Amino acid sequence: MAPEKVEDSRRPKLSCKFSRVRNWSLLTRAGLEVVAEAGDITTAELLAQAEQPDLAIVDVLLPGMSGHDVARRLRSQPQTANLPVVMLSGRASAIDRAEGLAAGADDYITKPVDPADLLTRIAGLLARSEGTHPFSGDLLKEI
């Protein structure tokens, strides 16, 4: 007999602190918790460890650092090595995508970001991540 699934009622926590996306209200309306933004890689690492997000959204082009560097650093730390990472970029070539994925991103989304695409990809990564979230909210209802 399979063990009974224990429901986790907390909202999945997203670390959008590495991205300059201006409107996170779509994510919060979909039932996701969005934590604060960091302006440098050291602060971003410290916040990722302190907040223990369930997923990070990283912009490729950031002031003073690159999203590739952030992803590599997250992967190098034991506390964040398995953190799902979504990379956002205005660069859409196959080489750009390959570089983002090689740096440690689990997914690469080009801008402008389609809300349904972003929410679907977040839901998929959360569902596949270690410690799967039984997130019962309909992520697409707010679109």
Side-chain angles (χ1 to χ4, degrees), residues 41 58-62 65-74 87 89 91 95-105 108:
I41 196 164
V58 181
D59 202 308
V60 171
L61 298 175
L62 297 169
M65 65 180 146
S66 78
H68 298 123
D69 293 334
V70 172
R72 282 187 204 98
R73 296 272 294 263
L74 288 171
M87 194 167 286
S89 179
R91 298 177 175 179
I95 291 172
D96 293 321
R97 286 179 188 275
E99 288 175 349
L101 296 170
Y108 187 99

Side-chain angles (χ1 to χ4, degrees), residues 15-20 44-45 48 56-59 62 70 74:
S15 173
C16 300
K17 59 181 75 88
F18 313 117
S19 181
R20 295 181 292 176
E45 283 181 320
I57 298 176
V58 181
D59 202 308
L62 297 169
V70 172
L74 288 171

Side-chain angles (χ1 to χ4, degrees), residues 61-137:
L61 298 175
L62 297 169
M65 65 180 146
S66 78
H68 298 123
D69 293 334
V70 172
R72 282 187 204 98
R73 296 272 294 263
L74 288 171
R75 293 291 177 239
S76 73
Q77 302 297 318
Q79 301 90 335
T80 56
N82 295 316
L83 180 68
V85 175
V86 175
M87 194 167 286
L88 303 180
S89 179
R91 298 177 175 179
S93 76
I95 291 172
D96 293 321
R97 286 179 188 275
E99 288 175 349
L101 296 170
D106 295 289
D107 206 343
Y108 187 99
I109 302 174
T110 57
K111 297 178 187 177
V113 176
D114 176 68
D117 188 34
L118 177 62
L119 291 176
T120 301
R121 291 177 190 223
I122 287 172
L125 285 170
L126 288 174
R128 286 187 298 276
S129 70
E130 199 169 45
T132 299
H133 283 277
F135 184 61
S136 60

